[in-house]
Amino acid sequence: VFQIQAFTNSSKFHVSEFILLGFPGIHSWQHWLSLPLALLYLSALAANTLILLTIWQNPSLQQPMYLFLGILSVVNMGLATTITPKNLAIFWFDAKVISLPECFAQIYAIHFFVGMESGIFLCMVFDRYVAICHPLRYPSVVTSSLILKANLFMVLRNGLFVIPVPVLAAQHDYCSRNEIEHCLCSNLGLFLAWLGMRSDLSLIILSYILILYSVLRLNSVEAAAKDLSTCSSHLTLILFFYTIVVVISVTHLTEMRATLIPVLLNVLHNIIAPSLNPIVYALQTKEV
């Protein structure tokens, strides 16, 4: 049961709660998707926890590259937990109602964690840039102090940058219809977050251009291959992350908002990425 208040002298209603209907067009059998979503969520929690324990228990992995990986694991679990439990509650218990404060909190959390993931990717590529292009300066540049400052900056940047999104959303008058054809409150969450990630992506592209230029100048093919191999897992995750964000943004611009494909991509991006990241690093990074 959702609560509504009638506007004075108006036939419209003021909405105090939303109803998340789930995936558009497949409401009758969308509950079958709960099993793969639950498995992906559990694998994301287990794999990222295992990454954290592995880094913590192995002194050889307590280096900047792997410390950033550990922070990324925390962000991944935060993003997956922001979205998946509510989705499963919709499918299993028909708990479709979400209050406005909860909805705006979810919008904030999604934007924050997606922005944090983009920021951590930038920190990781900076680490690889210094290690490959300026190896002699690496110990003096990438220090524990720098890692702490970089992460604090990312937390503050994303924590403050995304505040206007739920605040502006809360300023709207939501009248009459309170049903949302989505599993999330923010139908354009990733598209709006994309506006804040352009600078990260630009710096990442620039860094990889400089890395490639430095590697191509090496006389040894073996040394060049070794340097590039340290970037392979990171580059794989970046390509997946930004490609899906771009695809979601384009689908929202070219199609109606309440169509299945963008909604499905939005949900899967926020659960597959946290599941995929630790697996890619475990498979492609020998030390891990």
Side-chain angles (χ1 to χ4, degrees):
V1 179
F2 56 91
Q3 302 171 354
I4 53 176
Q5 292 179 323
F7 276 120
T8 304
N9 300 325
S10 174
S11 60
K12 294 183 178 180
F13 297 97
H14 174 70
V15 174
S16 60
E17 293 177 335
F18 289 127
I19 299 177
L20 301 176
L21 298 178
F23 295 110
I26 60 170
H27 297 152
S28 61
W29 57 272
Q30 64 181 357
H31 59 278
W32 292 106
L33 297 176
S34 63
L35 181 58
L37 285 177
L39 292 176
L40 284 171
Y41 179 57
L42 291 176
S43 68
L45 294 182
N48 283 289
T49 300
L50 188 58
I51 288 288
L52 288 172
L53 291 175
T54 302
I55 294 172
W56 179 60
Q57 292 179 352
N58 290 271
S60 61
L61 294 180
Q62 294 175 13
Q63 303 173 24
M65 177 179 176
Y66 303 111
L67 293 177
F68 283 127
L69 176 59
I71 297 165
L72 180 63
S73 293
V74 175
V75 172
N76 286 334
M77 289 190 288
L79 179 60
T81 302
T82 299
I83 294 167
T84 311
K86 180 60 180 178
N87 290 344
L88 295 178
I90 293 173
F91 300 146
W92 289 345
F93 309 111
D94 202 34
K96 299 178 179 180
V97 175
I98 184 170
S99 67
L100 262 64
E102 290 175 324
C103 186
F104 299 143
Q106 188 184 65
I107 292 174
Y108 178 86
I110 292 172
H111 283 74
F112 174 78
F113 284 119
V114 171
M116 278 296 298
E117 188 165 359
S118 176
I120 297 302
F121 281 144
L122 176 59
C123 292
M124 295 171 80
V125 77
F126 173 76
D127 171 78
R128 291 299 86 205
Y129 164 75
V130 177
I132 294 173
C133 299
H134 305 283
L136 297 180
R137 298 178 57 190
Y138 182 82
S140 61
V141 173
V142 185
T143 61
S144 299
S145 175
L146 178 68
I147 296 173
L148 178 61
K149 291 176 181 177
N151 284 286
L152 285 176
F153 172 76
M154 289 302 169
V155 170
L156 290 174
R157 184 197 73 167
N158 294 292
L160 297 176
F161 179 79
V162 302
I163 286 177
V165 179
V167 170
L168 291 175
Q171 301 304 311
H172 288 285
D173 287 326
Y174 298 95
C175 305
S176 298
R177 188 171 184 269
N178 68 335
E179 296 178 342
I180 302 176
E181 290 276 2
H182 209 301
C183 299
L184 313 174
C185 274
S186 182
N187 203 15
L188 286 175
L190 288 175
F191 173 68
L192 293 173
W194 169 248
L195 298 177
M197 293 188 291
R198 289 180 299 178
S199 59
D200 291 347
L201 181 59
S202 299
L203 291 172
I204 287 171
I205 292 173
L206 176 61
S207 297
Y208 268 113
I209 290 174
L210 295 175
I211 288 173
L212 185 60
Y213 176 74
S214 177
V215 168
L216 291 177
R217 293 176 61 188
L218 295 174
N219 295 324
S220 171
V221 176
E222 183 179 348
K226 182 179 179 181
D227 284 345
L228 289 177
S229 67
T230 63
C231 301
S232 60
S233 54
H234 181 243
L235 187 57
T236 300
L237 299 181
I238 286 178
L239 288 174
F240 175 80
F241 178 80
Y242 283 105
T243 299
I244 298 299
V245 170
V246 171
V247 170
I248 293 173
S249 301
V250 171
T251 57
H252 277 303
L253 289 174
T254 57
E255 299 182 15
M256 294 181 62
R257 296 181 183 180
T259 55
L260 176 61
I261 298 302
V263 173
L264 187 61
L265 284 175
N266 204 333
V267 173
L268 290 180
H269 174 268
N270 293 320
I271 186 61
I272 290 180
S275 305
L276 181 68
N277 290 352
I279 295 174
V280 170
Y281 265 96
L283 293 177
Q284 296 191 4
T285 306
K286 180 180 177 181
E287 291 79 7
V288 176

